[in-house]
Amino acid sequence: MFEVIEKEQFSPKVSKLIVKAPMIARSRRAGHFVIVRAGDGGERIPLTIADADPAAGTIMLVVQNVGVSTEKICSLNAGDSLTDVVGPLGKATTIPTGKTVVCCGGGVGVAPLLPIIKAMKAAGNKVISVLAARTKELIILEEQVREHSDEVIIMTDDGSYGRKGLVTEGVEDVIKREQVDEVVTIGPAVMMKFVALLTKKYGIPTQCSLNTIMVDGTGMCGACRVTVDGKTKFVCIDGPEFDAHKVDFDEMIMRLKSYN
Amino acid sequence: MAETSQLAPRDAAWREELRKAINAKERGAIPRVKMPELDPAYRVTCNEEVNQGLTMEQAQLEATRCLDCPKPTCMEGCPVSIDIPGFIKNIQRGDITMAARVLKATSALPAVCGRVCPQEKQCESRCIYHKMKKEPVAIGYLERFASDYANSHDEEMASEEAPAEKRGIRVAVVGSGPAGLSFAGDMIKRGYDVTVFEALHEIGGVLKYGIPEFRLPNSVVEKEIDSLRSQGVEFVKDCIIGKTLSMEQLEADGYKTVFVASGAGLPRFMGIPGENLIGIMSSNEYLTRINLMGAGQSGYDTPVLEGKSVAVIGGGNTAMDSVRTARRHGASRAMIIYRRSLEEMPARVEEVHHAQQEGVEFMTLYNPIEYIGDDKGHVKAVRLQHMQLGEPDESGRRSPVPIPGDIIEVDVDEVIVSVGVSPNPLIPNAVDGLEVSRRGTIVVNDETMQSSIPTLYAGGDIVRGGATVILAMGDGRRAALAAHKALSGE
């Protein structure tokens, strides 16, 4: 069992959990994720490690309540436990040095983006973060992102905070303004698809972190398979990060609806 | 470690008496026992175990058939060299606890092996009765009988177990499938402190996530694991060596030897058009959802797609498990699609037979070449290339060759791809300097199972690619013997 040490409600549907998992806290790096199970009949779902404190032996998870399992996890309070947490899984992000990097995230995608922003900044890159959400209340982790970014641009669909518009508009403004060496994007598949289309137009290398259906998360089943550059890849062991210009997003979006 | 001959010596007076009691001709005249099984029409409606097990009377009569050969060839057919006449003669005389002890001396999981070994290719294939044109002794059924009896008489068994003297040496096992459990069982008997690390949230590997309830109930697996636990084996789940804990960390924690038995979990796909459509999945995914995650049962959150017309691609045991599972999960039409003919199928004969009884269609000499989807991306049909058998290949099996232009289309709403597995790269990737073959398997010495790193042994599917439970167990046994020699200097 993995105890929830601390809980914070970001918004009615989004919770932050600090979970005791010393071995994972010690070995994880930016880009890694865990598979989590809540309750004996619970399913295994993937969640990115948003942050970790090796000294305290804890990891941070940010969970959006979108279904049966996330509802169970979001309803946990400090003192409750997750039944299983396994990881760190996936390949860690490749972090360049001395580049100008745009990190853009939508909704809860900002949580998995945070460790990458931190690692990018720590490696001496110029980091411009573009955070997007439908409305002001859904912008999360802004303070932490600011702490590790040279500049933060906030976009909301309804203009209730920051600039009104989509994430792609914020990213394109930066691209038009200055030399961008790399883009990292995490969020809903459709958002990543349009970021990829935009940066492809400008020829800027772009990494995306894919959030497919998973079961075991260790390469055992292939539920998470995607087509990258015409080849079938398993997100859990070959990813979760891929060259966004080579991912077949339409197939991925289709497969995400398998159980709808 | 107890020698089997000491547990059930052939020259014991009781055994000589049994041999004299009935002559060989009379023994040979007894017909081989028929395993009682659930009616096919009933069993496809549930997950209950198909084979019901022998009664005491049936088991003792079957045990009487065994001629107690002076040089038992059956034992040569067993990858873990169980003292077969030794346990069978104990059944005949009614000492089932002793029969189970003889089994446990060489096999950590006899209740499992009695159910899932392809005995027709192993022990039973070497029974002397074949030479007399008679059916072999039902060794697998008897193994199952004795182990099940012991598992339901725990106290009797426990009182006879003498714990080994502790050596204070830690050994680590990576993976809790059959190879890892077999190694763990042998090492704990030799007095080592054994910790088994498992990536999933349940112990047992393929015995839990792969083989279905109707063939191997989880309660049977759990009993065998409990027995290892009571002997002192520690189990750590949710822990991936190479990810959660590094090899260096294991060494720093005082583990002197690591046995890697991480399996060949990586499913193969065929790479044909349409294979990523919704409704097409690996047998590993399908069986894991149902067997490990409880999909389809109330109280379990994991969903599974339930097809009405299901095609399973492949002819191995995993394919049989998948197609029979599909029948139990609402498929009115369940098909095996196999590119060779029935004779070449690698699945256990009993499983093929059970599948046929349960109404599974066998479309042999067909190979899928394309899947066709509907406008929502869900598979709706498969195009099959008709094949014929050509020249034998390296494995000695005749290769399937397409018959040009002979292509049919079959409507399906679910496809389970069961064309084999590759070694999982997690461990090979995590260990510097480990010699790995081109296929991704860990290279080991065939006798000792020792890898290019002297303190690292490996066995089971991570060494063999996809193989059987009993071969994995044999590897665990050989590795345990070699590791013990290296650690103790004996």
Side-chain angles (χ1 to χ4, degrees):
Chain A
M1 300 291 266
F2 296 78
E3 198 192 339
V4 176
I5 303 293
E6 190 189 315
K7 183 192 186 175
E8 188 184 332
Q9 200 78 36
F10 280 156
S11 68
K13 288 276 185 192
V14 180
S15 305
K16 176 187 106 174
L17 302 176
I18 303 290
V19 179
K20 190 95 180 160
M23 289 196 287
I24 300 171
R26 185 172 60 189
S27 24
R28 76 100 213 186
R29 281 184 287 151
H32 280 150
F33 68 95
V34 285
I35 292 272
V36 169
R37 202 168 72 101
D40 281 338
E43 63 179 331
R44 297 168 65 96
I45 64 160
L47 293 170
T48 305
I49 305 169
D51 205 353
D53 182 343
T58 58
I59 58 171
M60 176 173 123
L61 304 175
V62 176
V63 191
Q64 183 173 21
N65 180 351
V66 291
V68 175
S69 296
T70 47
E71 166 137 22
K72 278 188 182 173
I73 296 167
C74 286
S75 71
L76 295 175
N77 290 305
D80 296 339
S81 287
L82 286 163
T83 315
D84 298 280
V85 180
V86 63
L89 296 165
K91 287 185 174 157
T93 310
T94 310
I95 306 290
T97 53
K99 306 270 185 181
T100 297
V101 182
V102 171
C103 295
C104 60
V108 282
V110 175
L113 196 61
L114 176 64
I116 298 170
I117 292 171
K118 284 174 81 168
M120 287 286 185
K121 186 66 190 155
N125 297 289
K126 179 180 179 188
V127 179
I128 301 161
S129 298
V130 183
L131 310 187
R134 274 189 290 113
T135 180
K136 182 181 179 185
E137 287 67 43
L138 300 175
I139 294 285
I140 59 168
L141 296 167
E142 182 189 342
E143 200 180 312
Q144 289 94 324
V145 169
R146 282 197 189 280
E147 198 184 321
H148 300 279
S149 306
D150 294 274
E151 184 188 346
V152 176
I153 296 166
I154 291 181
M155 308 291 300
T156 49
D157 290 5
D158 61 359
S160 54
Y161 188 45
R163 273 187 53 197
K164 182 174 160 55
L166 298 172
V167 73
T168 40
E169 296 169 50
V171 174
E172 189 159 23
D173 282 353
V174 181
I175 294 172
K176 282 180 173 163
R177 183 182 81 193
E178 62 185 288
Q179 168 71 31
V180 173
D181 301 310
E182 196 179 316
V183 173
V184 178
T185 180
I186 308 183
V190 66
M191 182 207 106
M192 292 191 283
K193 173 185 167 177
F194 282 102
V195 170
L197 286 172
L198 170 76
T199 58
K200 193 168 187 179
K201 193 170 79 180
Y202 290 97
I204 302 167
T206 301
Q207 295 290 314
C208 57
S209 179
L210 303 185
N211 47 350
T212 52
I213 292 173
M214 283 190 192
V215 183
D216 62 286
T218 60
M220 218 179 80
C221 82
C224 63
R225 63 196 195 273
V226 288
T227 303
V228 180
D229 207 11
K231 294 190 186 70
T232 293
K233 297 280 179 188
F234 289 4
V235 171
C236 67
I237 53 168
D238 299 317
E241 282 168 32
F242 293 98
D243 181 339
H245 297 156
K246 293 182 176 164
V247 171
D248 183 342
F249 281 106
D250 292 335
E251 180 190 88
M252 178 187 157
I253 290 165
M254 172 195 92
R255 284 182 60 79
L256 280 169
K257 294 179 189 146
S258 293
Y259 289 93
N260 288 2
Chain B
M1 182 172 209
E3 290 298 319
T4 52
S5 58
Q6 286 169 6
L7 280 175
R10 190 171 185 277
D11 57 6
W14 65 268
R15 204 152 147 186
E16 276 179 42
E17 247 172 67
L18 284 185
R19 279 197 295 274
K20 280 188 205 143
I22 313 169
N23 68 35
K25 202 174 164 195
E26 284 170 318
R27 288 180 199 276
I30 303 169
R32 178 179 156 119
V33 69
K34 291 260 182 300
M35 174 63 86
E37 48 189 52
L38 293 178
D39 179 65
Y42 168 73
R43 72 196 194 217
V44 294
T45 65
C46 62
N47 231 347
E48 285 172 41
E49 191 175 13
V50 170
N51 281 344
Q52 294 289 288
L54 303 181
T55 63
M56 179 69 92
E57 279 165 351
Q58 287 173 318
Q60 284 187 301
L61 186 61
E62 183 64 20
T64 307
R65 292 181 70 222
C66 171
L67 299 180
D68 201 2
C69 304
K71 286 201 179 107
T73 44
C74 52
M75 285 177 66
E76 294 163 16
C78 173
V80 298
S81 304
I82 286 174
D83 178 3
I84 292 168
F87 96 81
I88 289 183
K89 289 296 128 181
N90 268 300
I91 294 178
Q92 190 188 338
R93 72 161 166 164
D95 191 347
I96 315 300
T97 308
M98 181 54 81
R101 284 185 66 205
V102 173
L103 286 165
K104 279 272 178 186
T106 47
S107 169
L109 312 164
V112 172
C113 292
R115 286 172 166 85
V116 305
C117 275
Q119 287 95 1
E120 72 269 12
K121 291 177 187 147
Q122 297 174 333
C123 53
E124 292 180 18
S125 77
R126 309 289 297 273
C127 176
I128 190 79
Y129 274 133
H130 285 289
K131 290 199 176 145
M132 295 141 69
K133 304 264 182 277
K134 289 181 193 297
E135 284 194 278
V137 173
I139 301 167
Y141 293 168
L142 292 174
E143 180 183 24
R144 169 189 160 142
F145 171 80
S147 323
D148 284 357
Y149 178 93
N151 283 341
S152 56
H153 294 73
D154 284 335
E155 284 151 36
E156 219 173 306
M157 283 296 285
S159 65
E160 308 216 14
E161 298 270 352
E165 204 170 304
K166 285 286 166 199
R167 295 168 185 270
I169 299 175
R170 300 183 96 178
V171 297
V173 183
V174 180
S176 69
L181 294 179
S182 163
F183 179 90
D186 275 13
M187 291 305 267
I188 203 81
K189 282 201 196 88
R190 292 190 171 104
Y192 294 90
D193 295 321
V194 184
T195 311
V196 180
F197 297 93
E198 168 57 47
L200 288 171
H201 60 272
E202 281 206 34
I203 305 299
V206 72
L207 308 175
K208 282 277 180 66
Y209 73 73
I211 305 175
E213 281 288 296
F214 57 79
R215 196 150 79 84
L216 177 65
N218 278 349
S219 58
V220 170
V221 182
E222 210 46 57
K223 277 277 184 189
E224 306 270 46
I225 292 163
D226 280 345
S227 153
L228 289 171
R229 226 178 242 131
S230 69
Q231 291 171 62
V233 176
E234 299 273 346
F235 290 96
V236 179
K237 43 183 205 168
D238 292 326
C239 185
I240 306 177
I241 301 302
K243 290 276 182 190
T244 316
L245 259 186
S246 66
M247 283 286 181
E248 292 74 25
Q249 193 59 51
L250 282 183
E251 204 181 325
D253 289 347
Y255 291 97
K256 298 296 180 204
T257 286
V258 180
F259 178 60
V260 175
S262 50
L266 206 68
R268 275 191 218 129
F269 288 92
M270 293 174 67
I272 58 177
E275 210 171 19
N276 290 345
L277 287 165
I278 298 171
I280 302 177
M281 65 188 110
S282 71
S283 48
N284 268 13
E285 177 182 351
Y286 184 63
L287 294 173
T288 299
R289 284 180 182 276
I290 290 168
N291 298 332
L292 183 74
M293 305 309 298
Q297 291 178 56
S298 69
Y300 293 87
D301 298 339
T302 302
V304 69
L305 298 170
E306 303 210 331
K308 289 278 163 241
S309 182
V310 180
V312 174
I313 317 301
N317 284 319
T318 316
M320 295 308 139
D321 288 345
S322 302
V323 80
R324 297 175 65 198
T325 298
R327 278 289 282 140
R328 285 159 173 78
H329 280 256
S332 46
R333 187 175 189 199
M335 294 163 270
I336 283 284
I337 293 171
Y338 182 55
R339 63 195 180 126
R340 291 184 162 99
S341 69
L342 209 57
E343 286 85 77
E344 284 85 19
M345 265 191 196
R348 283 179 92 218
V349 170
E350 186 176 46
E351 271 23 278
V352 173
H353 186 58
H354 280 163
Q356 286 167 331
Q357 291 175 335
E358 289 165 12
V360 169
E361 290 174 49
F362 281 71
M363 299 188 66
T364 54
L365 290 168
Y366 279 102
N367 200 33
I369 51 171
E370 186 183 356
Y371 298 104
I372 297 154
D374 63 18
D375 55 0
K376 294 208 167 80
H378 201 293
V379 66
K380 65 170 187 182
V382 54
R383 300 186 75 213
L384 299 173
Q385 165 72 60
H386 200 182
M387 314 293 275
Q388 58 192 343
L389 290 179
E391 295 300 308
D393 65 8
E394 294 156 17
S395 72
R397 293 190 299 181
R398 293 175 64 194
S399 319
V401 185
I403 303 170
D406 192 350
I407 293 169
I408 59 167
E409 205 170 292
V410 176
D411 287 346
V412 291
D413 56 3
E414 185 159 83
V415 177
I416 315 294
V417 182
S418 190
V419 296
V421 285
S422 301
N424 194 306
L426 277 176
I427 294 288
N429 288 348
V431 185
D432 287 337
L434 184 64
E435 195 189 334
V436 176
S437 76
R438 250 188 316 145
R439 290 192 306 142
T441 53
I442 296 178
V443 178
V444 294
N445 175 308
D446 287 346
E447 287 301 310
T448 63
M449 309 312 285
Q450 192 176 34
S451 74
S452 57
I453 295 170
T455 56
L456 192 152
Y457 297 76
D461 284 359
I462 190 68
V463 163
R464 298 173 176 273
T468 62
V469 168
I470 191 69
L471 286 172
M473 291 187 56
D475 289 352
R477 240 180 115 62
R478 278 202 305 288
L481 181 62
H484 166 60
K485 280 184 181 164
L487 287 166
S488 67
E490 282 167 29

